Amino acid sequence: MSKIGLGLILLVLSVTSASAQNTDSLKVDTNLLNKYRIEPRKNALPIRIRPVQITEQLIPIELLDYKVSYWHKTLVFGLNFNQSAFTSNWSAGGISSVALGSTFDFKAEYNKTPFSYTSETNFIYGIAANKGQGARKTNDRIFLDNKVASQLSKRWFLFGSLSFESQFSQGFTYTDANGNEINQGLLISNFMSPGYLTESLGFEFKPNKFYDIRFGTGTAKQTFVLDTTIYHNQPDNYGVKPGHTFYNQLAVQIVAAVDKDIMKNLHLNARYALFVPYQQPLAYTTHRLDATLTAKVNRLINVTMNGTFLYDKNTSPRPQATEGLAMGVNYTFP
């Protein structure tokens, strides 16, 4: 090949290479490519769209069988047991003894505005047996109280009440008129000797569920002494004249009660009754305070302290008091 032919070939290859480089460097508009892109063929089968139909359906609803109860009931039962024993040669001295105390307190309340009804039953009985002395009663009380009230305003009620009080068994004193101890007990009380039935009508002030005060403007109290064998042992015979078993009094009565947790695990229940008779001097006004303080150790074990103060000249010319401290089982339902 001649030099001229070889030069032509090289010139052609050079122009071709330059043209290829210029083509690669050109900018391409991708939007145009997307515009003219060939789309795949769509599904040719027809699609039928049905509209959603919503219809109202009634569902039967049964009312729940709930009943409103206007009653509130509580039951408190307590049992205390104490025991001590000594050998015959115990140098410090002492006497073996066994003591048992029990309490029963049931309260039911019915409250449907404006009417309310409250019933309370309280039984207390205790007995102790000391070696060489036999069994002696330490506590004895029967108390029933029923009250019906109608609401006059937010805190005032018109009420009527009926209460009964007595004891279960015979009561003896072991001291003579001079205060000297005697071995043979002297009978001074019994069931319905005395026994008290009190009817009262008046107004009640109740600021909250813990406190209430009754003002019994019209009150009548009947005192019963059915055991006539205690006449010569009880000088005043509880206000009943010897030869009679019944004595009626008209009076004004005020009753204040509190039932409240005064602090955590410490509960106070107290009831004060003031009785002012119309037919006797003011000196024969009767005061009675019953209080129980309960400290809860756990759900079953409680420490209980109870006391009673009484001033009643028909029973004794001097104030009377009793006190007890015990630890035992005390259960509340529910």
Side-chain angles (χ1 to χ4, degrees), residues 41-62:
R41 187 177 180 183
K42 294 184 179 181
N43 190 359
L45 295 176
I47 299 176
R48 298 179 62 185
I49 301 176
R50 295 181 179 180
V52 178
Q53 296 182 355
I54 301 176
T55 59
E56 182 180 2
Q57 298 291 332
L58 298 179
I59 301 175
I61 299 177
E62 296 183 0

Side-chain angles (χ1 to χ4, degrees), residues 5-245:
L6 181 61
L8 291 173
I9 292 172
L10 292 174
L11 180 63
V12 171
L13 291 176
S14 175
V15 171
T16 303
S17 176
S19 176
Q21 290 180 358
N22 292 334
T23 302
D24 291 341
S25 62
L26 292 176
K27 294 182 179 181
V28 180
D29 190 352
T30 56
N31 292 329
L32 294 177
L33 294 178
N34 292 333
K35 180 178 180 181
Y36 297 104
R37 184 177 56 186
I38 299 175
E39 298 288 343
R41 187 177 180 183
K42 294 184 179 181
N43 190 359
L45 295 176
I47 299 176
R48 298 179 62 185
I49 301 176
R50 295 181 179 180
V52 178
Q53 296 182 355
I54 301 176
T55 59
E56 182 180 2
Q57 298 291 332
L58 298 179
I59 301 175
I61 299 177
E62 296 183 0
L63 295 179
L64 298 177
D65 189 17
Y66 285 150
K67 295 182 179 179
V68 177
S69 177
Y70 300 98
W71 285 96
H72 178 69
K73 304 174 184 179
T74 56
L75 172 63
V76 179
F77 175 76
L79 189 64
N80 305 310
F81 177 77
N82 298 302
Q83 183 267 341
S84 62
F86 303 88
T87 60
S88 58
N89 62 339
W90 182 252
S91 59
I95 184 172
S96 300
S97 65
V98 176
L100 180 66
S102 61
T103 60
F104 177 89
D105 192 356
F106 174 75
K107 189 174 184 179
E109 295 182 46
Y110 177 87
N111 195 338
K112 185 178 181 181
T113 307
F115 176 81
S116 67
Y117 168 73
T118 304
S119 176
E120 184 174 359
T121 301
N122 182 245
F123 298 149
I124 302 176
Y125 194 81
I127 191 170
N130 296 329
K131 186 177 180 181
Q133 294 180 341
R136 296 184 178 184
K137 185 169 62 174
T138 58
N139 214 337
D140 189 0
R141 191 189 189 204
I142 300 173
F143 179 73
L144 308 174
D145 184 58
N146 295 273
K147 181 193 69 175
V148 177
S150 178
Q151 190 170 10
L152 300 176
S153 64
K154 183 178 180 181
R155 299 179 179 180
W156 285 95
F157 298 79
L158 177 67
F159 83 92
S161 66
L162 175 66
S163 62
F164 170 77
E165 184 176 358
S166 188
Q167 61 191 55
F168 287 100
S169 60
Q170 295 179 333
F172 298 87
T173 181
Y174 297 93
T175 57
D176 58 18
N178 298 321
N180 299 319
E181 187 173 351
I182 57 177
N183 293 326
Q184 187 67 30
L186 191 64
L187 179 66
I188 59 172
S189 64
N190 204 344
F191 175 71
M192 289 298 292
S193 299
Y196 303 99
L197 186 65
T198 306
E199 306 89 20
S200 186
L201 179 66
F203 300 93
E204 180 183 30
F205 177 68
K206 194 169 185 178
N208 51 51
K209 63 181 180 179
F210 306 117
Y211 310 96
D212 66 86
I213 303 176
R214 304 181 199 174
F215 301 93
T217 55
T219 302
K221 182 172 75 171
Q222 295 80 44
T223 303
F224 300 89
V225 179
L226 303 184
D227 189 347
T228 58
T229 62
I230 68 173
Y231 287 159
H232 59 283
N233 299 333
Q234 186 68 23
D236 294 324
N237 201 40
Y238 302 103
V240 179
K241 295 180 180 180
H244 297 76
T245 58

Side-chain angles (χ1 to χ4, degrees), residues 243-255:
H244 297 76
T245 58
F246 168 82
Y247 176 58
N248 184 61
Q249 292 176 287
L250 298 177
V252 173
Q253 186 185 48
I254 298 177
V255 177

